[in-house]
Amino acid sequence: MTAPLTLTAPDADPTALRTTFALFPSGVAAISAQVPGEAGPAVLVASSFQVGISLDPPLVLFAVQHTSTSWPRLRAAAEAGGRLGVSVLGEAHDLTARQLASKAADRFAGVESTTAESGAVFVHGAPVWLECSVHGQFPAGDHDVVLLQVHALGNAPDTEPLVWHSSGFRTLTPR
């Protein structure tokens, strides 16, 4: 016999909400660009990245906290005519993801990457690369949802993705 399902209101237990959300596995994307006037690229790491939002035009999205200090810099690069590089991180990027998400002065130190003429920065070893512009942005609670339009793409289908699940990095079982 199956135990009865017990549901909790999210406002009754914020810890339960975080725990529940953490049980949804998601990919991990590094969104990065060269910012005019800055020595190194800006980057943010998002586990909220989603593809397949639209095929015509090709749109993807991610959510970013209002408190992010990286997003305003990336947005400024896009507003100056640059593009954003999205690298869906691969299974070998566990430590790279942590470094790119850190508060270090040079988050790209030792990280193999390529900067396109558009200013988009791509991390080597990723299964997916997308060169994007900002299509739109709107508030959603304590985050903003950002729609990106894809202008160019690349992929390495034999590279397994890095997955964020239960508040930690995981890898898929190889095919």
Side-chain angles (χ1 to χ4, degrees):
M1 187 171 205
T2 305
L5 178 66
T6 303
L7 299 175
T8 303
D11 57 350
D13 186 356
T15 302
L17 179 65
R18 282 185 177 275
T19 301
T20 301
F21 280 1
L23 293 174
F24 181 79
S26 61
V28 181
I31 302 159
S32 47
Q34 187 59 53
V35 179
E38 293 190 20
V43 61
L44 68 82
V45 176
S47 62
S48 60
F49 182 73
Q50 297 290 310
V51 300
I53 304 309
S54 172
L55 294 177
D56 186 19
L59 299 176
V60 297
L61 69 75
F62 69 98
V64 60
Q65 289 181 333
H66 291 156
T67 57
S68 171
T69 57
S70 298
W71 175 239
R73 295 170 54 221
L74 289 166
R75 175 83 188 200
E79 289 171 349
R83 298 266 171 91
L84 304 179
V86 177
S87 302
V88 174
L89 299 179
E91 65 183 351
H93 288 130
D94 182 331
L95 294 177
T96 300
R98 292 178 193 285
Q99 178 177 326
L100 293 175
S102 75
K103 299 293 182 191
D106 181 5
R107 297 183 196 181
F108 275 89
V111 175
E112 287 187 73
S113 63
T114 296
T115 302
E117 286 184 31
S118 67
V121 177
F122 301 101
V123 177
H124 292 194
V128 173
W129 299 278
L130 305 169
E131 186 178 70
C132 302
S133 63
V134 176
H135 184 76
Q137 178 176 333
F138 58 92
D142 58 1
H143 282 63
D144 282 331
V145 173
V146 181
L147 285 166
L148 301 176
Q149 183 167 345
V150 178
H151 297 279
L153 51 94
N155 64 68
D158 292 333
T159 302
E160 294 291 330
L162 183 64
V163 176
W164 181 253
H165 180 258
S166 195
S167 299
F169 293 116
R170 310 280 176 110
T171 57
L172 298 178
T173 303
R175 294 177 205 144

